[in-house]
Amino acid sequence: MLATCRWVRWGAPLAVVLLAAVLRLWNLGVPHALVFDETFYVKDAWSLFNNGYESTWPADANPLFEAGQTEIFTMEPSFVVHPPLGKWLIALGMNLLGPGSPWGWRLATVVVGVLAVLLIMLVARRLFQSRLLALIAGFLLAIDGHAIVMSRVALLDNFVMFFALLGFGAVLMDRPWHAARLATRLVGLTDPGWGPTLWWRPWLLCAGLAFGLTSSVKWSGLYFLAAFGLYLVVVDALARRRNGVSFWLSAAILKQAPATFLLLVPVAVTTFLVSWTGWFVTRGGYYRDWADGSGAAWTGPLAWVPHTLQSFWHYQAAAYTYHVGLATPHPYQANPLTWLFMTRPTSMYYQGSNGGEFGCQFQSCSAAITSVGNPLIWWAATAALFYLVYRLARYREWRVGLILMGMVAGYLPWLMYLNRTVFQFYTIAFEPYLLLGLTFVIGLLLGRIAAPARPEGRHSAHSQAHEYDVQPRSGALAGVAVGLGVALVLTAFFFPVWTGMQTPFAFWQLHIWMPSWR
């Protein structure tokens, strides 16, 4: 019996990870073509690996690159608007398996996609104190189509998702660490005043590193750093209030917040700068010598700043201007207001053919890679999100607040850019928090998370994390099992259009559940 329990304890999570690996690795080299934005990131990664900076390629380089002519990049710098870390990671896979191999192009993203399934289980286990809910969270991410597609193409957003989730996990780990040490420092004080400043918070250093890595892939990682920095100040204020600190709000803002800033931000900034090492140590990068040009260097109080840093700042300013002003129409752009409803998924690849072409064995065939999520999972998670907003307003549960903060960091900033050219696939950055929200609701149904807890300000986060050990409700357990089974069937149904499999055209049409999915 003990051996069986041990097998289930370790075997079930391993089975979920293996399932995620199979769904992501199967036929990864198909198509042998640069799909969607792989045309930028794969070639940029390879020139970055060779030159230390991203450089230009000849016109119509894609067919030559796909045919194995991978050394045709120039030495001329290319204006790229995303930091280099994601491209360094893509280049690592290309160096290991060869730059002409689609497996090499996609190796880093697929490894990160599988690791993300393991990571969300670890996070959910800590967040919900339930092995079952951790298993469900991992299963949902393992079989969701959007997560599968984004793990199978060499784009940057999977890295954003993974590093941000690492930072989320570090913030989660800091909660009990901070609460316990604050309470210990306040024991025996008759007049705590503002309370102590906690300087040794190693999980915040880890969070700073993780959010720095996120920002080193895409600038949107800065939103995670800012959002969770504010979240930490709020958590500290509430903890001081619970412990009887008279000036709890001013203490959190004026005393602990500066220390939190110094623990979090310098690590993140340093990480970001280190990711640009190739640009700094070479001379050929875009705007590398901008400050050396006639009349370009700063004057006045900032004239002392080294020209290299002036050039770097100018480059970042130019990239920011590009980002906020991008409004080039694209057939698959999707307004952020529609993202949660998945009305315009991104078609990464499509090839139609007639009988005999490209091995088509039917009258007409389709091969597609469409970044559409598992409909049941995605729409159920969206419904759960709206419920969590209501639940936070009514009960102020800390777990709900933490999950929603992930959504605040990953989604809300995009609402400032409703007229910008953006895409549905950006949602991979906040998908883990959607799925954690759905898992929370499933936990309520199963009795693994109790009905309304007391508000956040009235008892400790530590006690909330361990207060529930409720037996599953048999009816709800059967319903959840059926729902997960249906989701798995939908994954099998949609898998061909997530992975570029050649299918009859009529079969592809069966997956167009909305006209906007074409």
Side-chain angles (χ1 to χ4, degrees), residues 5 77 89 131 271 289 296 320 357 373 438-439 443 471 506:
C5 292
L89 293 173
R131 289 188 178 90
T271 303
D289 298 319
Y320 173 79
E357 290 183 320
L438 178 56
T439 303
Q471 292 299 316

Side-chain angles (χ1 to χ4, degrees), residues 176-217:
W177 177 282
H178 166 264
R181 278 150 187 79
L182 180 63
T184 299
R185 293 280 298 274
L186 291 170
V187 168
L189 297 180
T190 56
D191 183 15
W194 282 14
T197 301
L198 301 180
W199 282 100
W200 177 235
R201 295 172 68 178
W203 288 112
L204 289 196
L205 296 174
C206 294
L209 174 61
F211 293 138
L213 292 170
T214 311
S215 305
S216 300
V217 177

Side-chain angles (χ1 to χ4, degrees), residues 65 120 143 153 159 180 259 290 317 343 396 482 494:
F65 189 91
I120 199 173
I143 70 170
V153 293
F159 303 122
W290 171 84
T343 60
R396 303 196 298 279
V482 169
F494 275 90

Side-chain angles (χ1 to χ4, degrees), residues 116 155 158 198 203 207-208 265 271 308 353 407 414 417-418 437 474 488:
L155 272 61
N158 225 36
L198 301 180
W203 288 112
V265 175
T271 303
T308 299
S353 56
M407 292 298 302
W414 292 104
Y417 305 106
L418 297 181
S474 57
L488 186 59

Side-chain angles (χ1 to χ4, degrees), residues 309-375:
L309 292 180
Q310 292 186 34
S311 298
F312 182 73
W313 181 266
H314 181 76
Y315 190 177
Q316 303 309 302
Y320 173 79
T321 300
Y322 172 87
H323 280 302
V324 298
L326 181 61
T328 304
H330 191 284
Y332 286 100
Q333 68 187 69
N335 190 296
L337 291 174
T338 70
W339 284 358
L340 295 177
F341 309 103
M342 202 170 61
T343 60
R344 189 56 171 163
T346 309
S347 175
M348 300 282 181
Y349 173 82
Y350 181 85
Q351 183 183 71
S353 56
N354 296 317
E357 290 183 320
F358 308 110
C360 175
Q361 300 178 7
F362 306 94
Q363 183 177 358
S364 60
C365 294
S366 293
I369 299 177
T370 305
S371 186
V372 59
N374 184 304

Side-chain angles (χ1 to χ4, degrees), residues 261-277:
F261 179 90
L262 292 175
L263 289 168
L264 198 66
V265 175
V267 175
V269 172
T270 301
T271 303
F272 178 80
L273 292 175
V274 169
S275 75
W276 286 88
T277 297

